[in-house]
């Protein structure tokens, strides 16, 4: 039923969208085929075989001279389906926000959205470098990433390089890190993005983030993030991208402020464009959990090749080797995923 | 006290002489703004002349350039549709947003060619629903843009209105003068038909009465296939086309294959003006001249 609803909305509105006052509408769809050495065991994170990984409907438009609105509805597999009759797919508001247009120097964003944070947090699934998000996002904030309701104020500092400061406040509901039951508990997030143009064809980006909020026991937690990205349009206009990202979550449980737990994740990945249509990518990741001594470190290695015939379609094949002794103490999981990534309609440009 | 007054006067005189900060999306637009603004403007182009302006990554460093700009000059007709909007918003400079006086869209001041009829979709390639955006290859359309640009600069900087209008007038007169010799040279070259890689020279060819028989791309933005090249060979032989215009930012392999089979001349041409607009058109006319001299 949710699929039909999404399709009706997508197919009925384009005629209206020709009008300048109607929103730009796009639909991203991700189809996957997956096979894993874990098979379809009850402990498996996902099942093998063909699936509709996600469909994302986006409507974006200037509301008036002061505001711009963005609505992203995601049709996803219902991970919580336990009983017969539970829907296989659910539609969720992934992001619904407005932001200011008319304030010089600053932009204020309010609503439900992915906070300005890290290298990939604001990227939707179809725009991620790999089929799945990096562990710096997934291991710290969970499968859905860092997505909250609140507001953000971003300021472009008048410097010769790109220097953006973002202050954010959320009713933090992320259960992995925050999840305070009190509506009065607000999480604060600071984000700094620097980008230097090294030459006409290369840039260096350095991101820094700090978040602080209350967990389910109303104790304050802290999360830190830093990421460094080098991008180059090298010989023949072919791209190379190297990124290293580190995220650390510190959990404080007792009244004396003693730090009792810490989870950290390190992800490093390389993307290089072999020719106009082909990309090769590798990613190495490590997750350390010091919250519970019985939890062992997780290591993940990923290789991906992508065929990208246009900005609107891509076929990607990803191979993962996951060493997670907590799930499978005896052997590494080997996973192969093929993804068809399609974009229809008018979709805004992705972040650089 | 005297120092205080002197420093205020100095500060005010500096403000009065501050140049208009203009950012353009292409180097051709930069060259045109420089022609009109001369010493009253400082111009920066977001792309360089060897870049394909259809596909530009919206780098945050572009936003730094736009943050303090007084005017943003774009080509329009959806040429920059894939990247400019996010740069405009990211710059947090409301004066440069759509429909504001700080945003000048050159394409709004010309009659576009190749406006598609009926339904447009991506199966047709990179088709621009508002028409072909490469109008800067037509000197007379550019003259119209330059006049509109002078008006816009005058709105933003009324103090130098006379200079802007006079510079625009001088520029359009020099174009009109050159047009006579350009038309004569092209007529003498006897080149009547050409093949181009992309539809980048449609306006130039239309102005000088040369027929663009086909493109090396089977569809706009789609690289050539072997089948399409074979079809092109046949078209070129049948229609006696001996001139291939290959834009400098597209690969030349397919054109070379066509040359081997048909004996046509390949002219690798800049799409964007680098430092001088008249020199740019001169290079296009010279290319047609060369094709003619090679026995067309």
């Amino acid at each position: 039923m949710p699929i039909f609803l999404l399709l009706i909305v997508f197919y009925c509105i384009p005629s209206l969208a020709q009008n300048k006052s109607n929103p730009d509408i796009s639909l991203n769809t991700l189809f996957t085929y997956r096979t894993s050495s874990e098979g379809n065991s009850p402990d498996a994170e996902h099942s093998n075989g063909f699936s509709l990984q996600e469909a994302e409907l986006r409507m974006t438009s200037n509301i008036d001279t002061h505001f711009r609105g963005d609505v992203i509805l995601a049709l996803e597999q219902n991970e919580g389906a336990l009983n017969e009759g539970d829907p296989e797919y659910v539609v969720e508001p992934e992001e619904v926000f407005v932001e200011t247009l008319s304030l010089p120097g600053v932009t204020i964003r309010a609503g439900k959205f992915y906070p300005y944070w890290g290298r990939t947090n604001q990227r939707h699934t179809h725009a991620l470098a790999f089929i799945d998000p990096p562990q710096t996002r997934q291991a710290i904030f969970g499968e859905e990433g860092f997505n909250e309701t609140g507001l953000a104020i971003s300021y472009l500092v008048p410097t010769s390089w790109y220097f953006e400061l973002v202050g954010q406040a959320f009713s933090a509901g992320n259960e992995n890190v925050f999840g305070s039951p009190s509506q009065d508990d607000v999480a604060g997030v600071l984000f700094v993005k620097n980008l230097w143009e090294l030459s006409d064809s290369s840039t260096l980006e350095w991101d820094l983030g700090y978040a602080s909020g209350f967990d389910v026991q109303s104790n304050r937690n802290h999360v830190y993030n830093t990421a460094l990205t080098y991008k180059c349009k090298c010989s023949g206009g072919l791209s190379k991208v190297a990124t290293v990202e580190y995220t650390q979550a510190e959990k404080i449980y007792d009244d004396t402020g003693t730090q009792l737990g810490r989870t950290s994740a390190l992800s490093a990945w390389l993307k290089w464009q072999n020719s106009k249509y082909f990309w090769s990518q590798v990613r190495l990741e490590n997750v350390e959990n010091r919250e519970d001594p019985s939890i062992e470190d997780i290591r993940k290695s990923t290789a991906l090749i992508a065929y990208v015939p246009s900005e609107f379609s891509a076929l990607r094949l990803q191979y993962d080797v996951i060493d997670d002794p907590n799930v499978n103490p005896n052997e590494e999981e080997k996973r192969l995923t093929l993804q068809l990534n399609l974009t229809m309609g008018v979709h805004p440009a992705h972040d650089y | 006290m005297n120092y205080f007054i002197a420093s205020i006067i100095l500060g005010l005189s500096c403000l009065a002489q501050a140049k208009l900060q203009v950012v353009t999306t292409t180097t051709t637009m930069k060259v045109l703004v420089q022609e009109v603004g001369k010493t009253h403007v400082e111009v920066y182009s977001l792309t360089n002349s060897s870049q394909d302006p259809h596909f530009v990554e919206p780098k945050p460093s572009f936003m730094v350039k736009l943050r303090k700009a007084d005017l943003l000059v774009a080509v329009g007709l959806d040429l920059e549709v894939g990247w400019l909007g996010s740069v405009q918003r990211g710059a947090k400079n409301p004066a440069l947003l759509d429909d504001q006086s700080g945003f000048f869209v050159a394409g709004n001041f010309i009659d576009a060619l190749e406006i598609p009829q009926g339904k447009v979709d991506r199966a047709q390639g990179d088709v621009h629903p508002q028409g072909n955006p490469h109008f800067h290859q037509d000197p007379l359309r550019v003259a119209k843009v330059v006049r509109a640009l002078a008006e816009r600069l005058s709105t933003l900087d009324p103090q130098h209105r006379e200079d802007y209008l006079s510079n625009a007038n001088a520029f359009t007169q020099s174009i009109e003068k050159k047009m006579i010799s350009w038309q004569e040279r092209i007529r003498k070259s006897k080149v009547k038909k050409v093949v181009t890689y992309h539809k980048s020279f449609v306006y130039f060819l239309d102005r000088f009465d040369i027929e663009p028989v086909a493109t090396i791309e089977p569809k706009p933005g789609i690289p050539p296939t072997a089948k399409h090249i074979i079809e092109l060979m046949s078209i070129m032989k049948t229609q006696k086309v001996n001139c291939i215009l290959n834009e400098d930012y597209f690969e030349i392999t397919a054109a070379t294959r066509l040359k081997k089979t048909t004996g046509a001349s390949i002219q690798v041409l800049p799409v964007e003006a680098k430092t001088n607009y008249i020199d740019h058109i001169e290079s296009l006319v010279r290319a047609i001249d060369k094709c003619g001299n090679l026995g067309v």
Side-chain angles (χ1 to χ4, degrees):
Chain A
M1 182 62 183
I3 296 178
F4 290 120
L5 199 67
L6 213 62
L7 288 175
I8 286 167
V9 172
F10 183 71
Y11 283 106
C12 290
I13 297 180
S15 56
L16 301 173
Q18 304 301 320
N19 187 318
K20 200 181 170 187
S21 60
N22 286 309
D24 289 342
I25 299 163
S26 63
L27 184 69
N28 295 103
T29 49
L30 300 171
F31 300 100
T32 54
Y33 176 77
R34 173 193 157 101
T35 177
S36 159
S37 58
E38 267 193 1
N40 283 327
S41 73
D43 294 334
E45 195 185 343
H46 297 284
S47 53
N48 283 347
F50 290 102
S51 69
L52 172 62
Q53 185 185 356
E54 186 182 275
E56 187 184 282
L57 180 72
R58 182 168 191 163
M59 286 169 276
T60 180
S61 174
N62 289 347
I63 295 163
D64 55 23
T65 54
H66 304 293
F67 296 104
R68 177 178 178 80
D70 223 321
V71 175
I72 299 129
L73 303 173
L75 176 81
E76 297 171 318
Q77 285 180 311
N78 186 5
E79 301 289 345
L82 298 171
N83 306 312
E84 202 176 321
D86 284 348
E88 195 182 347
Y89 291 94
V90 287
V91 175
E92 291 189 344
E94 199 160 280
E95 293 194 275
V96 180
F97 64 83
V98 292
E99 61 182 16
T100 57
L101 291 171
S102 55
L103 299 176
V106 296
T107 303
I108 301 173
R109 179 180 288 191
K112 181 182 189 299
F113 58 94
Y114 288 105
Y116 295 80
W117 177 268
R119 184 69 192 115
T120 64
N121 195 56
Q122 289 192 313
R123 294 202 171 218
H124 291 236
T125 315
H126 71 272
L128 289 171
F130 292 81
I131 290 174
D132 55 346
Q135 291 299 315
T136 43
R137 173 169 150 179
Q138 199 167 332
I140 305 295
F141 296 107
E143 184 96 349
E144 296 300 318
F146 190 16
N147 184 309
E148 304 291 348
T149 304
L151 66 91
I153 302 173
S154 69
Y155 174 59
L156 195 53
V157 182
T159 50
S160 58
W161 75 97
Y162 183 88
F163 179 19
E164 187 181 26
L165 275 174
V166 191
Q168 301 162 92
F170 300 100
S171 294
N174 186 285
E175 288 172 7
N176 282 40
V177 183
F178 305 123
S180 167
S182 168
Q183 291 296 313
D184 297 332
D185 285 345
V186 171
V189 182
L190 283 173
F191 179 70
V192 178
K193 178 173 173 170
N194 292 279
L195 184 132
W196 294 272
E197 195 142 357
L198 304 177
S199 68
D200 275 354
S201 57
S202 61
T203 57
L204 183 69
E205 181 178 331
W206 183 34
D207 304 323
L208 280 167
Y210 168 69
S212 177
F214 296 92
D215 63 16
V216 284
Q217 282 92 29
S218 289
N219 290 310
R220 186 172 281 280
N221 289 343
H222 306 274
V223 192
Y224 306 89
N225 171 276
T226 186
L228 201 62
T229 300
Y230 171 77
K231 284 185 101 170
C232 171
K233 277 263 182 199
C234 304
S235 55
L238 301 177
S239 293
K240 288 182 175 55
V241 185
T243 303
V244 183
E245 183 170 45
Y246 178 75
T247 310
Q248 179 175 304
E250 290 178 356
K251 299 185 176 184
I252 299 168
Y253 289 107
D254 65 9
D255 296 336
T256 62
T258 308
Q259 178 192 313
L260 295 179
R262 192 191 79 191
T263 306
S264 64
L266 178 69
S267 300
W269 63 92
L270 275 172
K271 294 173 64 181
W272 64 96
Q273 193 178 5
N274 309 103
S275 64
K276 187 168 182 179
Y277 298 134
F278 284 93
W279 288 76
S280 302
Q281 300 171 202
V282 289
R283 183 176 64 186
L284 297 172
E285 299 181 283
N286 188 65
V287 181
E288 275 187 9
N289 196 318
R290 295 289 169 264
E291 190 176 335
D292 180 345
S294 67
I295 299 177
E296 296 197 49
D297 292 359
I298 303 164
R299 286 183 191 80
K300 187 173 175 185
S301 309
T302 304
L304 180 146
I305 50 170
Y307 170 63
V308 188
S310 78
E311 304 149 274
F312 310 104
S313 64
L315 190 63
R316 309 199 288 178
L317 184 67
Q318 180 172 315
Y319 182 66
D320 299 289
V321 177
I322 305 159
D323 178 13
D324 185 352
N326 312 295
V327 176
N328 193 340
N330 302 319
E331 60 178 327
E332 294 170 331
E333 181 194 349
K334 294 176 179 67
R335 186 191 294 169
L336 187 70
T337 314
L338 182 68
Q339 182 197 58
L340 181 61
N341 186 331
L342 304 170
T343 300
M344 290 172 258
V346 184
H347 191 75
H350 293 138
D351 288 344
Y352 178 68
Chain B
M1 185 63 181
N2 287 345
Y3 283 119
F4 179 68
I5 293 169
S7 53
I8 288 179
I9 291 169
L10 188 66
L12 289 173
S13 64
C14 285
L15 278 177
Q17 288 171 10
K19 293 181 177 185
L20 271 186
Q21 300 297 310
V22 184
V23 175
T24 65
T25 57
T26 64
T27 54
T28 305
M29 289 300 137
K30 176 184 174 179
V31 164
L32 298 179
V33 174
Q34 282 170 332
E35 287 286 355
V36 182
K38 302 275 188 202
T39 56
H40 304 312
V41 293
E42 240 172 41
V43 198
Y44 178 85
S45 171
L46 296 177
T47 58
N48 62 48
S49 59
S50 59
Q51 246 178 307
D52 181 352
H54 296 86
F55 304 104
V56 176
E57 284 190 288
K59 289 195 278 190
S61 46
F62 291 173
M63 298 164 194
V64 176
K65 299 291 180 193
L66 260 61
R67 183 169 49 82
K68 286 289 173 193
D70 301 298
L71 179 65
L72 169 63
V73 177
V75 173
L77 302 183
D78 284 346
L79 180 72
E80 303 100 339
V81 71
W83 59 276
L84 190 59
S86 62
V87 176
Q88 283 172 281
R89 290 189 298 279
K92 307 185 199 307
N93 182 349
L96 308 187
L97 294 176
D98 294 0
D99 303 325
Q100 300 296 314
S101 61
F103 185 39
F104 179 88
V105 183
N108 291 349
F109 299 93
I110 58 108
D111 301 321
L113 296 177
E114 297 187 329
I115 298 173
Q117 303 297 313
K119 192 178 177 224
V120 174
D121 70 38
R122 292 198 183 118
Q124 298 162 329
D126 187 18
V127 176
H128 296 275
Q130 296 183 55
N132 187 313
H134 306 291
F135 57 83
H136 67 276
Q137 314 290 10
D138 173 14
L140 296 189
R141 281 183 172 85
V142 159
K144 278 187 182 177
V145 169
V146 161
R147 281 191 283 268
L149 196 52
E151 288 296 339
R152 185 62 61 89
L153 289 173
S154 303
T155 308
L156 297 171
D157 178 21
Q159 196 184 344
H160 298 113
R161 180 180 172 82
E162 289 304 313
D163 291 346
Y164 296 136
L165 297 180
S166 144
N167 293 340
N169 200 32
F171 179 70
T172 52
Q173 278 179 0
S174 61
I175 279 183
E176 282 158 11
K177 202 170 149 189
K178 288 292 286 183
M179 275 300 289
I180 299 164
S181 70
W182 286 333
Q183 276 166 331
E184 181 61 15
R185 281 163 61 191
I186 286 176
R187 190 185 59 75
K188 279 186 181 167
S189 76
K190 295 182 181 167
V191 175
K192 285 285 172 195
K193 292 176 179 179
V194 296
V195 162
T196 61
Y197 188 99
H198 179 72
K199 292 186 169 188
S200 309
F201 301 111
V202 164
Y203 289 89
F204 173 82
L205 300 172
D206 180 70
R207 178 62 61 200
F208 293 101
D209 223 8
I210 300 171
E211 185 188 348
V213 171
T215 56
I216 293 175
E217 292 176 328
K219 291 175 181 176
I222 309 296
T225 57
K227 180 172 174 265
H228 181 69
I229 296 296
I230 290 165
E231 284 168 3
L232 264 185
M233 287 170 183
S234 163
I235 291 169
M236 287 177 72
K237 281 178 185 169
T238 316
Q239 300 207 28
K240 297 191 171 78
V241 181
N242 287 337
C243 192
I244 303 167
L245 307 182
N246 204 103
E247 293 86 340
D248 60 359
Y249 51 65
F250 291 122
E251 53 87 25
I252 202 171
T253 322
T256 310
R257 275 190 68 194
L258 288 170
K259 180 185 175 179
K260 275 184 188 164
T261 318
T262 65
S265 161
I266 303 173
Q267 301 296 323
V268 178
L269 293 173
V271 177
E272 299 296 334
K274 287 175 186 161
T275 52
N276 183 299
Y277 182 75
I278 289 178
D279 286 352
H280 172 68
I281 297 297
E282 180 64 33
S283 70
L284 304 189
V285 174
R286 205 179 304 127
I288 300 295
D289 258 348
K290 280 185 186 168
C291 280
N293 291 335
L294 291 170
V296 176

